[in-house]
Amino acid sequence: MTTATDPHAPGAATSADDLVASVDSGARVPLGWQRMLVPSLAFTWALFQLYVASPLPFIIQEQTGLRVVFNNTEVRAIHLAFALLLVAMAFPLFSRSPRDKIPLYDWVLGIVGAGSCLYLVVFADEIARRSGLPTNTDLIVSTIGMVIVGISVYRALGLPLLIVVGVFLSYVFFGSSEFFPDSIRWAGASYSKAMWHFWMQTEGVFGVALGVSASMIFLFVLFGSILEKAGAGNYFIKLAFSLLGHLRGGPAKASVIASALSGIYSGSSIANVVTTGTFTIPLMKRTGFSPEKAGAIEVAASTNGQLTPPVMGAAAFLIAEFTGTPYTDLIVYALLPALVSYIALLYIVHLESLKLGLKGLPHKSRAGSAAAKIQSFIITLAGIMALGFAVHFGLGWTATAFPDAGLEIAIAVFVAFYIICLVIASKREDLHVDDPDAPIQELPVVRDVLLTGLHFLLPIIVLLYCVMVVRMSPGLAAFWASASMVLIAFTQHPIKALLRGGENFAASFAQGWDEFSRGMISGARNMIPIAVATGAAGIIVGTIALTGAHQVVSAFVEALAGGSLMLMLILVAVMSLILGMGLPTTANYIVVSSLMAPVIVSLGASEGLIIPLVAAHLFVFYFGILADDTPPVGLAAYAAAGISGGDPIKTGLQGFGYDIRTALLPFMFIFNTELLLMKVVIVDGTPTSEFVPWYIGVKAFVIAVIAMLVFAAATQRYFFSRNNWFETVALLLVALTLLRPSILLDMVQPPYDDRAGVEIYDIAGSQPAGSPLRMELVGTDFNNPLERTSKYIVISLDDAATGEDRIADAGLTFLEDGDRLTLDEPFPGTPFAYLGQDYDFYAEEPVVLNKVQTRAERMPKEIFYIPAFIILALVILMQRRRQTQPAF
């Protein structure tokens, strides 16, 4: 790879580690007296975040009366102050900027940027009293802060996000000029109003996104970083290899599992590539994979890790906040697609191994026969499950029996299990980081690897227990998980040294401190671009709130789609890929969701399709993440190519080829929310989501897995043997039928019965309470008075006695106009008040109720599974005749 002039261009990094540093943590490493400056600031930032998340400030204030509790606004400002100071110290501004010292201009930019943030803390009371009337000093500070945020965005995230932010700011200041067409022009805002909006209150830079970064994302990134530095990363890699290394193409399959496990706590697909890929990519190459395919498998696995709950690249908390979805519900919604995608990737790796004729790595004979290995694994797995049940039900019972001592008992149980795990681990040799270039003679025994690092699972259990069982806030749960991880980092080596007879006991304390401090510093440095990104994203969100810019984007996409919902989704997917290029996970999600998610919901509603907001956000999130391996700016692909020695463009193209299965899933769960384990119900005219019954979830999982395996076989053109073209077509039809059988059902039986609009009251009176009623409205387009436009709305009928009352309760008023019904303009605050933005209710031609649709009684859509499975069986029979090697 050659060095480029742009520090953010992928070619600028001479190695995968350099690329991670330049993107995630900063490529500058000062020498001399400045050597400890960045680590010290990063460590202090991590301590501050742990402090404000802990109960300690409240205890101190209650005991001493000192004001040591920071409110949310102050925490956001201090959080960004640390980020702006550190980004100036750690990220060189220009390609020629020194990397071994901090130049004077970076000192000035860092200190002034931090001061602009702290101005909001020091003068908080005076600013509150001014209430939207900024002084000259306020405007100067706001302007300086905005400029330094822009410079910091360029340093840490490159040009793409800076351009997006610049476009939005230009629209704020110049969008009211006559240069813009009437359809996208807005009323405009004064400079003082805009600066107050973006900097002096919590509607812009210091908005929701930065608040989530400060209160939740930092703690999860810190938790993952300490977990990684304490040895969990190496533990998960070796566990994956011991489990899967003996299978056909074992190193590649182990890479998928290791990346999935790293994705549990990782906030970056690029860091995930380097963490696991440094070990797995050379092994994949030695077992027969080309450099490009080895890198692409790691890229596909690592990008998939960003879609895996509970962290989802640190974006899970933002999705929950922006959609109003409880975090505990969100991780359930996102679980099934992530599992299905990983299972399909494992199968793709298996098919690639079959095509190459690969074998597995040798296993140690110590475990005995295959049956003995399976028995040992099952016993160990059962023990872990028993441990989980004991923790769950034991702590649940103690919390009920001793409500005042619940925390103390939980800590005692954790410590007890921790000691037990260390006693077990002390009887085995510690896991060492192997040389990835050294040949593997034999794989370790699963049981030995598993028992060596059981204590690394405890903080993850703490995290999930606090979130899912105790129902703590994600931030507080992350604090306790981080606290447990800090305890493990400090004490695991001294306790094991004592249990082994006291050998190297003194050195073990230094090792624990080293792992803890490196975890704290690494976590804080990894947070620099995330904090800057969420601050910059606040400008985008603030612009949308100030100007209504999302309506412009919606109108643009709607015009391009020409009324086709599927074409609209494809356009949104492509735009999400483009907007996501070169951005880390969190910034990626904020940008694409702010612009694209409202488009999906509004245009889906115009076609009468109720799309849950969380499904729309997950849709754009999936495609934004896929930008990490999409050429020409797929940073994860460049990182993998730096390790494999392959061509980064070919690696990205191959990785995207593997990720087509992931790109299919968002389209499927938009139309079939069972894949998200949710169903949509309408309550008081408002669509809400709730979980499907467990048996529906099991059915959705099984069918989705089969469909994705078949789809993988089609796209890889190999099943039991190489596919003929008609076999590939047949497999694609089978996969699409299993994933969305309603397409065929709609062709056979229309989903709705059409009735004339004048029958609305009779229909509404005859339907059972809670039934959805779909209506087509035709009226003059508000933005184009020369056109009549058609839109669908859906209402839920309550239990009122008459049809007239039910329609009125839904917030609609119809007036008789000869042989038709016209719609009166809905009142503000009612569920359909937004129609005033779509229709001109004061035009010469009124808004007319054209027709009413009720759900038709149809055969179950699952009936089409039968022909799909028959076609699948025929393809298998044809291929078995040509099969030359075992399928597994």
Side-chain angles (χ1 to χ4, degrees):
M1 294 172 62
T2 59
T3 303
T5 57
D6 181 0
H8 300 287
T14 57
S15 70
D17 288 327
D18 291 339
L19 180 59
V20 173
S22 64
V23 173
D24 280 348
S25 58
R28 178 179 285 149
V29 182
L31 302 177
W33 69 271
Q34 297 179 346
R35 182 172 63 90
M36 293 305 297
L37 181 64
V38 173
S40 299
L41 283 171
F43 189 86
T44 304
W45 189 15
L47 281 180
F48 169 77
Q49 295 290 161
L50 284 174
Y51 170 78
V52 296
S54 73
L56 185 61
F58 301 95
I59 296 173
I60 294 175
Q61 185 162 305
E62 182 180 350
Q63 297 295 326
T64 65
L66 297 174
R67 187 189 178 279
V68 292
V69 176
F70 295 91
N71 62 42
N72 290 333
T73 303
E74 292 170 335
V75 171
R76 294 179 191 186
I78 297 172
H79 180 78
L80 186 61
F82 269 112
L84 295 183
L85 182 58
L86 278 165
V87 77
M89 305 298 172
F91 288 78
L93 180 56
F94 306 108
S95 59
R96 299 180 182 276
S97 296
R99 300 199 173 197
D100 57 354
K101 66 178 181 179
I102 303 170
L104 178 61
Y105 60 82
D106 280 343
W107 281 99
V108 173
L109 289 173
I111 293 172
V112 172
S116 300
C117 299
L118 296 178
Y119 176 84
L120 303 179
V121 178
V122 176
F123 300 100
D125 294 337
E126 291 88 338
I127 292 171
R129 284 195 292 268
R130 287 196 278 274
S131 185
L133 298 173
T135 63
N136 289 335
T137 304
D138 291 341
L139 293 178
I140 292 171
V141 170
S142 300
T143 303
I144 292 173
M146 293 283 286
V147 170
I148 293 181
V149 165
I151 295 172
S152 301
V153 167
Y154 174 73
R155 287 175 183 269
L157 301 158
L159 206 54
L161 183 58
L162 181 61
I163 291 174
V164 173
V165 171
V167 168
F168 274 83
L169 282 177
S170 298
Y171 184 65
V172 169
F173 293 113
F174 306 110
S176 59
S177 66
E178 295 182 358
F179 174 79
F180 286 89
D182 292 340
S183 58
I184 63 174
R185 192 185 306 162
W186 78 292
S190 65
Y191 186 78
S192 60
K193 179 181 178 180
M195 286 297 102
W196 183 273
H197 180 80
F198 284 123
W199 194 263
M200 304 303 293
Q201 60 179 3
T202 56
E203 296 292 334
V205 172
F206 301 97
V208 172
L210 188 67
V212 174
S213 175
S215 62
M216 287 182 275
I217 295 177
F218 192 106
L219 294 170
F220 276 87
V221 171
L222 185 65
F223 167 72
S225 179
I226 300 175
L227 189 66
E228 171 73 28
K229 299 302 181 185
N234 184 50
Y235 170 69
F236 288 144
I237 291 174
K238 292 203 168 185
L239 182 61
F241 267 84
S242 65
L243 281 169
L244 301 176
H246 64 287
L247 302 175
R248 190 188 297 270
K253 292 175 181 174
S255 169
V256 174
I257 297 300
S259 294
L261 294 172
S262 296
I264 291 174
Y265 57 83
S266 174
S268 167
S269 56
I270 303 168
N272 199 334
V273 165
V274 173
T275 301
T276 58
T278 301
F279 186 69
T280 60
I281 290 176
L283 287 176
M284 284 190 274
K285 288 173 61 181
R286 289 206 301 272
T287 54
F289 287 95
S290 67
E292 286 76 20
K293 285 191 175 182
I297 289 169
E298 181 58 51
V299 167
S302 296
T303 52
N304 216 124
Q306 305 306 287
L307 308 174
T308 306
V311 176
M312 299 170 66
F317 320 105
L318 288 165
I319 298 174
E321 193 74 23
F322 287 167
T323 63
T325 304
Y327 172 73
T328 50
D329 290 354
L330 175 67
I331 60 179
V332 175
Y333 294 151
L335 179 61
L336 193 148
L339 284 177
V340 171
S341 186
Y342 262 122
I343 292 171
L345 181 58
L346 280 172
Y347 187 59
I348 287 173
V349 169
H350 180 74
L351 293 177
E352 289 282 16
S353 303
L354 281 172
K355 288 190 282 187
L356 295 171
L358 303 182
K359 303 295 182 182
L361 297 174
H363 224 301
K364 280 187 178 180
S365 59
R366 173 181 163 187
S369 65
K373 294 176 184 177
I374 294 173
Q375 181 182 6
S376 174
F377 175 72
I378 290 176
I379 292 174
T380 305
L381 185 62
I384 295 175
M385 293 177 65
L387 175 64
F389 278 108
V391 171
H392 177 87
F393 292 106
L395 288 179
W397 176 81
T398 54
T400 303
F402 307 99
D404 295 334
L407 177 61
E408 292 80 358
I409 293 175
I411 293 174
V413 171
F414 168 82
V415 171
F417 278 114
Y418 175 49
I419 297 299
I420 292 172
C421 291
L422 288 185
V423 169
I424 296 172
S426 67
K427 300 182 183 301
R428 292 163 176 80
E429 184 180 357
D430 288 343
L431 297 176
H432 300 289
V433 179
D434 296 328
D435 181 358
D437 296 320
I440 293 183
Q441 303 297 334
E442 57 185 6
L443 291 169
V445 178
V446 175
R447 186 171 178 272
D448 289 345
V449 175
L450 182 65
L451 296 180
T452 303
L454 275 179
H455 54 288
F456 291 129
L457 303 178
L458 290 178
I460 298 175
I461 293 174
V462 169
L463 175 63
L464 296 177
Y465 177 80
C466 290
V467 170
M468 303 296 293
V469 180
V470 183
R471 298 284 177 170
M472 291 183 181
S473 68
L476 187 57
F479 166 76
W480 287 113
S482 300
S484 66
M485 196 58 241
V486 168
L487 174 67
I488 289 175
F490 265 123
T491 62
Q492 61 169 331
H493 299 297
I495 293 176
K496 284 194 287 187
L498 281 176
L499 293 170
R500 290 167 178 166
E503 184 178 356
N504 297 324
F505 180 68
S508 65
F509 279 102
Q511 183 179 0
W513 168 258
D514 178 66
E515 291 176 352
F516 163 70
S517 59
R518 286 192 298 117
M520 294 278 281
I521 293 167
S522 176
R525 294 193 65 157
N526 289 338
M527 271 301 302
I528 297 172
I530 295 177
V532 172
T534 52
I539 298 175
I540 297 173
V541 177
T543 299
I544 291 173
L546 188 64
T547 66
H550 63 284
Q551 296 177 5
V552 175
V553 177
S554 177
F556 174 70
V557 174
E558 187 174 14
L560 289 179
S564 169
L565 184 59
M566 181 57 70
L567 182 56
M568 179 271 292
L569 290 173
I570 293 172
L571 288 171
V572 170
V574 172
M575 294 179 74
S576 298
L577 283 171
I578 294 171
L579 288 170
M581 286 182 179
L583 299 181
T585 302
T586 311
N588 184 326
Y589 162 71
I590 296 172
V591 171
V592 297
S593 66
S594 300
L595 290 173
M596 298 288 102
V599 175
I600 295 176
V601 175
S602 62
L603 296 188
S606 69
E607 296 298 315
L609 177 65
I610 300 175
I611 300 176
L613 184 60
V614 66
H617 277 253
L618 286 173
F619 182 94
V620 297
F621 176 60
Y622 265 58
F623 281 101
I625 292 302
L626 291 180
D628 278 352
D629 62 9
T630 305
V633 199
L635 295 183
Y638 277 88
I643 299 171
S644 69
D647 182 271
I649 299 297
K650 292 181 179 178
T651 300
L653 289 172
Q654 184 68 64
F656 188 74
Y658 292 150
D659 271 339
I660 290 176
R661 86 217 182 272
T662 305
L664 181 66
L665 282 170
F667 286 97
M668 294 302 104
F669 62 59
I670 284 290
F671 294 103
N672 181 15
T673 56
E674 287 180 1
L675 287 174
L676 298 176
L677 301 177
M678 72 162 66
K679 63 179 179 179
V680 180
V681 295
I682 301 177
V683 179
D684 297 329
T686 303
T688 59
S689 303
E690 60 182 39
F691 292 118
V692 297
W694 68 269
Y695 54 87
I696 297 294
V698 171
K699 183 209 76 172
F701 175 73
V702 172
I703 293 297
V705 167
I706 296 173
M708 291 302 290
L709 296 185
V710 172
F711 183 78
T715 55
Q716 295 303 306
R717 291 174 293 178
Y718 195 101
F719 198 14
F720 288 81
S721 65
R722 293 194 180 275
N723 301 343
N724 297 322
W725 69 267
F726 58 85
E727 291 173 338
T728 297
V729 171
L731 291 174
L732 286 173
L733 289 175
V734 169
L736 295 176
T737 300
L738 293 177
L739 284 170
R740 197 185 169 202
S742 57
I743 294 179
L744 296 178
L745 180 58
D746 291 347
M747 295 179 182
V748 177
Q749 294 179 322
Y752 298 100
D753 291 328
D754 291 347
R755 305 274 293 274
V758 293
E759 300 180 44
I760 179 68
Y761 296 125
D762 293 336
I763 297 171
S766 62
Q767 296 293 315
S771 300
L773 203 60
R774 194 168 183 255
M775 310 175 193
E776 184 190 21
L777 303 175
V778 178
T780 302
D781 193 311
F782 184 84
N783 296 311
N784 192 347
L786 298 180
E787 289 188 3
R788 299 278 287 174
T789 185
S790 170
K791 293 183 182 296
Y792 288 88
I793 62 172
V794 180
I795 66 171
S796 178
L797 301 173
D798 61 15
D799 56 359
T802 66
E804 289 86 345
D805 291 338
R806 287 180 163 187
I807 298 300
D809 291 345
L812 298 174
T813 302
F814 291 104
L815 305 174
E816 291 188 9
D817 183 12
D819 59 350
R820 61 182 183 177
L821 291 180
T822 62
L823 177 64
D824 197 15
E825 183 177 12
F827 290 109
T830 60
F832 299 101
Y834 69 88
L835 291 175
Q837 301 172 4
D838 299 327
Y839 294 114
D840 184 356
F841 283 90
Y842 301 97
E844 184 176 345
E845 282 293 320
V847 179
V848 178
L849 176 59
N850 188 43
K851 62 184 176 184
V852 180
Q853 295 181 325
T854 58
R855 287 200 177 275
E857 293 199 8
R858 305 191 294 170
M859 69 178 78
K861 63 183 179 182
E862 289 78 10
I863 199 74
F864 291 96
Y865 291 161
I866 297 175
F869 282 121
I870 290 175
I871 295 174
L872 179 61
L874 290 174
V875 173
I876 293 174
L877 286 175
M878 287 189 293
Q879 292 214 347
R880 287 294 296 270
R881 297 176 181 177
R882 308 194 306 269
Q883 186 176 352
T884 58
Q885 58 181 328
F888 294 98

